[in-house]
Amino acid sequence: MTARTPIKHLAAQQDGPITVSGWVDTVRDQKKVQFVVLRDESGAVQLVNPAVRELDETDAASAGRLAITETISGLSQGSFITVTGELKHDERVKLGGIEVKIGTLEVITHAIAETPIAEDSSIDKRLDWRFLDLRRPEQNLIFRVQTTFLHALRTWWVEHDFIEIQTPKLMASASESRAELFEVEYFEGKAYLAQSPQFFKQMAQPAGFGKVFEVAPAFRADPSFTSRHATEFTSIDAEMSWVDSHEDVMRMHEELLVAGLTAVKQKHGAEIEALFGLEVTVPTTPFPRIPLAEAKRIVAERGYEVPRADDDMDPEGERRIAAYVKEEFGHEFVFLTDYASSIRPFYHMRHEGDPGLTNSYDLIFNGVEISTGAQREHRIDVLEAQAREKGLDPEELGFYLDFFRYGVPPHGGFGMGLQRVIMLLLHQPSIREVTYLFRGPNRLTP
Amino acid sequence: MTARTPIKHLAAQQDGPITVSGWVDTVRDQKKVQFVVLRDESGAVQLVNPAVRELDETDAASAGRLAITETISGLSQGSFITVTGELKHDERVKLGGIEVKIGTLEVITHAIAETPIAEDSSIDKRLDWRFLDLRRPEQNLIFRVQTTFLHALRTWWVEHDFIEIQTPKLMASASESRAELFEVEYFEGKAYLAQSPQFFKQMAQPAGFGKVFEVAPAFRADPSFTSRHATEFTSIDAEMSWVDSHEDVMRMHEELLVAGLTAVKQKHGAEIEALFGLEVTVPTTPFPRIPLAEAKRIVAERGYEVPRADDDMDPEGERRIAAYVKEEFGHEFVFLTDYASSIRPFYHMRHEGDPGLTNSYDLIFNGVEISTGAQREHRIDVLEAQAREKGLDPEELGFYLDFFRYGVPPHGGFGMGLQRVIMLLLHQPSIREVTYLFRGPNRLTP
């Protein structure tokens, strides 16, 4: 490995010789002195070089200094370089109170001088050049936050004896809706891309796995262009046996989010405040829970009639109920519970004594839905009846229904969109900003 | 949640009242006493019930006891039940020295009495009923081992400042070979499933991410039916900046495997020994390294001429060099290094001064290849020349080649098949045994 010091560690080092590597952020090429801001994955530092513009034959070092000066004058933004030099703490230096006086400078790769994107480029243009867009400190932080968040979730699951599963993304039939299914040429036949791991994570229950989780891609042939939709996204899923109702799922879900957000605040809280002007709030438990019917009454009382013919909420209603919860309880999260059976999939368990309602919830975070959870129907006769009632073909569902014929414990779980969580946590305007490489109806590159 | 005690915790509990839940493994219905072996995700325990075959009107409890006896007589294997009763330690009980005397018994779901698979069912038949096959303790252990292994890898990466990325699985063009590409109907056009995250994890290098990892599905339209191939598998990938050569990648790779296997041995060593008769060996570092040409000489000297026209090794050669390494160094792993450029992809860096060889390696574990790693070519002119030499279309590779035009650090990484590692670790005959739901040319279900 190149023997370099990550830039974030420089401040803690004593003055003296140092090697740093990274890319050129800016060059200020003044007559007497040159400044280079160098950036790596951990931060930025100012490099300084006293310019030598002419060969001085009385000074043996002059030729070398002249060469370095000329190299710096020709440095294009984005070029990767390695510099050895002298670290010096100096309070007058705005950028972190340190600078490095350049001793040697090696250009590793020259960048084309014209950068195709600028600060004010459109999101679409930035996505065309995503690998350059990702160099921005905000973008780098987004993915470090995501790393920390996911690792905290997985650690919580592992400590609570969950088993990690990798469910197949190639399926012989639909997992949810026929409408948004991608079709794959599969040798002589057809396959479909999994819209969610729903059926397969449920399979872990009759398999006796007890509690399972998965973080993996999911695919939706959804032609919409909103800030919340993508054709490929990262689905965070958990499913566990022996729940009494969706309440048990919500309790697991909120503990998990507390673990994730605690880790993010601890590790990145200061940086998030510096770069996004945001304070990360670790939510208190229990999160507020509001039955959907009540939520609709509340927003109606506050002047908003949800313009839908079915029993569902709409995005504006979700924003409004979230605003209400924020005002009333100072909470960024709210579980909307007990959705009508008419707008939920056949596999959601219905209320005992009121088949019009389900043991289900949506989780709203800062005004946007990030997750759906539920207790599942595990009684095969009820499940088959509910599938038939929804107009599904029990023949095609055969492999799934079989899971329930050989013994299965009561169970429930949730699916949550990773990119939505990160978008809402960091108050980003679109999942495009927090997806490594966004995929939409007309975006498949780079 | 059902207030149950996981079976593995019973042995440490004192005699007294207890609730357990799980599925019926076996029933021994004797005239005077009934035995049920109950299994959950953590273990198995014997339940015992003194049979009451007739109503005794002088005994108030008799009706209840008779009902329980009849329920047990009718219990089918696989049914899920919850039992409250009295835990009793008794050395004479073979199964863990404990038993539970049944107080109440509730059948949660009845299983169909005829189980479609048996101990001697073929692997194909077992895969048809994978959710039942997974109930075997060996299968359950495989996935707990996998969970521990992956978590240890990710923890190592997170502790070493790697960023987790989620690269897209939908691509506009091939990442590796056109031959094994799955085609997807994508709105009005076509997309392809990623065969590996290769191009996209490399993109993180010019993006300034420094070090990245990903664990995600990869897809190969490979028509082969060997024990090592699947059309969908879990690819473990890492890529890092500022490597001097593939040696730096190997060093990271071996440290990572030591972390993974140490965690597996600690958490599951005793169980692996009990169920698979195997001792997990934590490998010493450095792993042996043998240049491929030398490896071929060694197996030739030991009587095996690799029957290939190109410079590559074949599976039998890999087994033989692994046997040699085991004999000579007592090591289960070996890095074969310096593969010929002719058999490596265009993006592998070639030796300085010998363009016939690459800065690359394969990692062999217990005789089978589990991984390929390399330093990548980051110099755009060399990379373009190598692509052209391999007959690739620079036009189609345009988006990838762009990554190298705006500055990029030297970098390298590896891709490793999760299922192969687990198969070889637990001495399983096929990846079908260690894949949650195997996908092959003629298997898409369940």
Side-chain angles (χ1 to χ4, degrees):
Chain A
M1 304 291 290
T2 302
R4 65 183 178 122
T5 301
I7 290 172
K8 73 171 171 188
H9 294 156
L10 292 180
Q13 301 243 3
Q14 291 196 319
D15 287 359
I18 204 89
T19 300
V20 286
S21 298
W23 68 93
V24 173
D25 191 83
T26 51
V27 178
R28 255 192 310 145
D29 192 7
Q30 299 175 354
K31 191 157 196 285
K32 301 246 161 134
V33 63
Q34 300 172 304
F35 297 98
V36 176
V37 172
L38 183 76
R39 195 173 279 288
D40 72 7
E41 71 275 24
S42 72
V45 66
Q46 178 166 289
L47 314 178
V48 60
N49 186 54
V52 171
R53 302 287 178 183
E54 277 172 24
L55 201 61
D56 176 355
E57 280 172 11
T58 66
D59 178 0
S62 153
R65 302 307 311 170
L66 177 60
I68 288 178
T69 302
E70 286 176 348
T71 298
I72 293 174
S73 294
L75 265 185
S76 52
Q77 197 196 347
S79 295
F80 276 70
I81 62 175
T82 289
V83 164
T84 62
E86 290 288 318
L87 174 68
K88 211 181 139 207
H89 287 72
D90 182 344
E91 282 181 8
R92 293 166 305 173
V93 180
K94 273 194 197 161
L95 190 59
I98 49 171
E99 65 179 15
V100 175
K101 195 179 159 202
I102 297 173
T104 68
L105 187 157
E106 187 190 357
V107 180
I108 307 296
T109 43
H110 287 283
I112 292 179
E114 279 160 50
T115 313
I117 53 170
E119 292 241 330
D120 60 350
S121 295
S122 71
I123 174 75
D124 222 50
K125 179 97 187 200
R126 285 194 285 112
L127 293 190
D128 285 341
W129 298 95
R130 185 62 166 157
F131 66 100
L132 296 173
D133 189 43
L134 289 173
R135 286 184 183 172
R136 290 187 295 130
E138 294 83 0
Q139 283 293 334
N140 184 290
L141 179 57
I142 284 169
F143 289 89
R144 284 185 291 119
V145 165
Q146 185 183 290
T147 301
T148 299
F149 179 74
L150 282 179
H151 194 62
L153 263 50
R154 293 196 188 103
T155 300
W156 190 94
W157 279 317
V158 167
E159 284 171 357
H160 288 79
D161 281 335
F162 282 63
I163 293 178
E164 177 169 0
I165 54 175
Q166 270 80 29
T167 66
K169 305 310 159 200
L170 291 168
M171 300 178 69
S173 57
S175 56
E176 302 263 338
S177 120
R178 280 237 147 256
E180 300 184 348
L181 211 52
F182 283 120
E183 189 178 288
V184 182
E185 303 288 324
Y186 197 76
F187 301 98
E188 304 307 305
K190 300 277 178 208
Y192 302 93
L193 292 181
Q195 294 164 303
S196 93
Q198 185 61 37
F199 290 177
F200 298 138
K201 68 178 176 168
Q202 283 192 256
M203 190 187 92
Q205 312 308 313
F209 276 24
K211 297 178 274 190
V212 296
F213 72 94
E214 178 173 25
V215 178
F219 306 90
R220 305 263 167 101
D222 181 341
S224 53
F225 288 90
T226 80
S227 61
R228 310 179 308 283
H229 290 91
T231 52
E232 177 175 353
F233 65 99
T234 306
S235 187
I236 299 173
D237 282 88
E239 195 77 20
M240 58 182 184
S241 295
W242 304 108
V243 304
D244 287 333
S245 76
H246 53 312
E247 176 60 31
D248 289 326
V249 182
M250 290 190 282
R251 222 170 289 144
M252 181 257 290
H253 201 159
E254 63 194 8
E255 274 193 57
L256 194 67
L257 283 166
V258 166
L261 296 177
T262 301
V264 167
K265 189 179 178 77
Q266 250 166 28
K267 194 159 179 179
H268 309 290
E271 253 183 302
I272 291 171
E273 194 146 0
L275 288 182
F276 294 109
L278 288 173
E279 198 187 339
V280 176
T281 307
V282 176
T284 53
T285 57
F287 295 1
R289 288 142 164 79
I290 306 179
L292 186 67
E294 193 185 323
K296 293 182 80 167
R297 267 199 306 279
I298 292 168
V299 301
E301 274 166 24
R302 293 160 63 97
Y304 182 70
E305 284 291 344
V306 176
R308 288 185 67 120
D310 62 19
D311 289 311
D312 211 352
M313 202 58 143
D314 70 338
E316 179 59 23
E318 287 168 355
R319 268 190 292 278
R320 291 188 179 230
I321 194 68
Y324 162 82
V325 168
K326 183 87 182 152
E327 273 171 50
E328 285 295 306
F329 309 106
H331 215 285
E332 296 179 331
F333 291 88
V334 55
F335 286 119
L336 302 183
T337 66
D338 306 281
Y339 280 68
S341 310
S342 56
I343 54 167
R344 288 305 218 191
F346 74 97
Y347 53 79
H348 281 199
M349 186 178 271
R350 299 179 181 178
H351 281 205
E352 223 180 303
D354 185 354
L357 295 178
T358 56
N359 282 2
S360 76
Y361 67 86
D362 274 9
L363 177 56
I364 313 293
F365 176 32
N366 284 335
V368 179
E369 185 233 309
I370 56 170
S371 176
T372 295
Q375 179 174 15
R376 321 303 181 181
E377 181 52 67
H378 65 281
R379 296 161 296 185
I380 180 65
D381 49 336
V382 184
L383 188 63
E384 278 186 303
Q386 291 182 182
R388 235 177 284 118
E389 185 202 302
K390 292 272 184 190
L392 296 170
D393 180 3
E395 187 71 23
E396 194 171 346
L397 283 175
F399 80 97
Y400 172 69
L401 296 172
D402 278 344
F403 300 162
F404 301 84
R405 298 186 201 280
Y406 295 86
V408 58
H411 60 278
F414 70 82
M416 178 166 72
L418 170 63
Q419 284 81 19
R420 286 200 187 181
V421 176
I422 302 293
M423 166 180 85
L424 294 158
L425 174 63
L426 299 177
H427 293 207
Q428 293 299 294
S430 163
I431 55 167
R432 289 163 180 76
E433 298 283 355
V434 302
T435 306
Y436 184 68
L437 280 168
F438 174 77
R439 292 294 183 251
N442 52 17
R443 177 165 293 280
L444 268 176
T445 54
Chain B
M1 304 290 292
T2 303
R4 65 181 178 123
T5 301
I7 290 172
K8 72 172 172 187
H9 294 156
L10 292 180
Q13 301 243 5
Q14 290 196 321
D15 288 359
I18 204 87
T19 301
V20 286
S21 299
W23 68 94
V24 173
D25 191 83
T26 51
V27 178
R28 254 192 310 145
D29 192 8
Q30 298 174 356
K31 189 156 197 283
K32 300 245 159 136
V33 63
Q34 300 173 304
F35 297 98
V36 175
V37 173
L38 183 77
R39 195 173 279 289
D40 71 8
E41 70 276 24
S42 73
V45 67
Q46 178 167 289
L47 313 178
V48 61
N49 186 54
V52 171
R53 302 288 179 184
E54 276 173 23
L55 201 60
D56 177 355
E57 280 172 10
T58 67
D59 178 1
S62 152
R65 302 307 311 171
L66 177 60
I68 288 177
T69 302
E70 287 176 347
T71 298
I72 293 173
S73 293
L75 265 186
S76 52
Q77 197 196 347
S79 295
F80 277 70
I81 62 176
T82 288
V83 165
T84 61
E86 289 288 318
L87 174 67
K88 209 180 140 209
H89 286 72
D90 182 344
E91 282 181 8
R92 292 167 305 174
V93 180
K94 273 193 195 160
L95 190 61
I98 49 172
E99 65 179 15
V100 175
K101 195 179 158 199
I102 296 173
T104 69
L105 186 156
E106 187 190 356
V107 179
I108 307 297
T109 44
H110 286 284
I112 293 180
E114 279 159 52
T115 313
I117 52 169
E119 293 241 328
D120 60 350
S121 295
S122 70
I123 174 74
D124 222 51
K125 180 96 188 206
R126 285 194 285 113
L127 293 189
D128 284 342
W129 298 95
R130 184 62 166 159
F131 66 100
L132 296 174
D133 189 42
L134 288 173
R135 287 185 184 172
R136 289 186 295 130
E138 294 82 1
Q139 282 294 334
N140 183 290
L141 180 56
I142 284 169
F143 289 89
R144 285 186 290 118
V145 165
Q146 185 182 289
T147 301
T148 300
F149 179 74
L150 281 180
H151 194 64
L153 261 51
R154 293 195 187 104
T155 300
W156 190 93
W157 278 317
V158 167
E159 285 171 356
H160 288 80
D161 281 335
F162 282 64
I163 294 178
E164 177 168 0
I165 54 175
Q166 271 79 29
T167 66
K169 306 309 159 201
L170 292 167
M171 302 177 70
S173 57
S175 55
E176 303 261 337
S177 120
R178 280 236 147 259
E180 300 184 348
L181 213 51
F182 283 120
E183 189 178 290
V184 182
E185 304 287 323
Y186 197 78
F187 301 99
E188 304 307 304
K190 300 278 178 208
Y192 302 93
L193 292 181
Q195 294 164 304
S196 94
Q198 185 62 37
F199 289 177
F200 298 138
K201 68 178 175 166
Q202 282 192 255
M203 190 187 92
Q205 312 307 312
F209 276 24
K211 296 177 276 188
V212 295
F213 72 93
E214 178 173 25
V215 178
F219 307 90
R220 305 263 166 101
D222 181 342
S224 52
F225 288 92
T226 81
S227 61
R228 310 179 308 282
H229 290 92
T231 53
E232 177 175 354
F233 66 98
T234 306
S235 186
I236 300 173
D237 282 88
E239 196 78 19
M240 58 183 185
S241 294
W242 304 109
V243 304
D244 288 331
S245 75
H246 53 312
E247 176 60 32
D248 289 326
V249 182
M250 290 191 281
R251 221 170 288 145
M252 181 257 288
H253 201 160
E254 63 193 9
E255 274 192 57
L256 194 66
L257 284 166
V258 166
L261 296 177
T262 300
V264 167
K265 189 179 178 75
Q266 249 165 29
K267 193 158 179 181
H268 309 290
E271 252 184 303
I272 290 171
E273 195 147 358
L275 288 181
F276 294 109
L278 288 172
E279 198 187 339
V280 175
T281 307
V282 176
T284 53
T285 56
F287 296 180
R289 289 143 164 78
I290 306 179
L292 186 67
E294 192 185 323
K296 293 183 80 167
R297 267 200 307 277
I298 292 169
V299 299
E301 273 165 24
R302 293 160 62 97
Y304 182 70
E305 285 291 344
V306 176
R308 286 186 68 120
D310 63 18
D311 289 311
D312 211 351
M313 201 61 142
D314 69 338
E316 178 58 24
E318 286 167 354
R319 268 190 291 279
R320 290 188 179 228
I321 194 68
Y324 162 82
V325 168
K326 183 87 181 153
E327 273 170 51
E328 285 293 308
F329 309 106
H331 214 287
E332 296 179 332
F333 290 89
V334 55
F335 285 119
L336 301 183
T337 65
D338 305 282
Y339 279 68
S341 310
S342 56
I343 53 169
R344 290 305 218 190
F346 74 98
Y347 52 79
H348 281 198
M349 185 177 272
R350 298 179 181 179
H351 281 204
E352 223 181 304
D354 184 357
L357 295 178
T358 56
N359 282 2
S360 76
Y361 68 85
D362 274 9
L363 177 57
I364 312 294
F365 177 30
N366 284 335
V368 178
E369 186 232 307
I370 57 170
S371 175
T372 295
Q375 180 175 14
R376 322 303 182 182
E377 181 53 67
H378 65 282
R379 295 161 298 185
I380 180 64
D381 49 335
V382 184
L383 187 62
E384 278 186 302
Q386 290 181 183
R388 235 177 285 118
E389 184 202 303
K390 292 271 184 191
L392 296 169
D393 180 3
E395 188 69 23
E396 196 172 344
L397 284 174
F399 79 97
Y400 171 70
L401 295 172
D402 278 345
F403 299 162
F404 301 85
R405 297 185 202 280
Y406 294 87
V408 58
H411 60 279
F414 70 81
M416 178 165 73
L418 170 63
Q419 284 81 18
R420 286 200 186 182
V421 176
I422 302 294
M423 167 180 84
L424 293 159
L425 174 62
L426 300 177
H427 294 207
Q428 293 298 294
S430 163
I431 56 168
R432 289 163 181 77
E433 298 284 355
V434 301
T435 305
Y436 184 69
L437 281 167
F438 174 77
R439 292 294 182 249
N442 52 18
R443 177 167 291 280
L444 268 176
T445 53

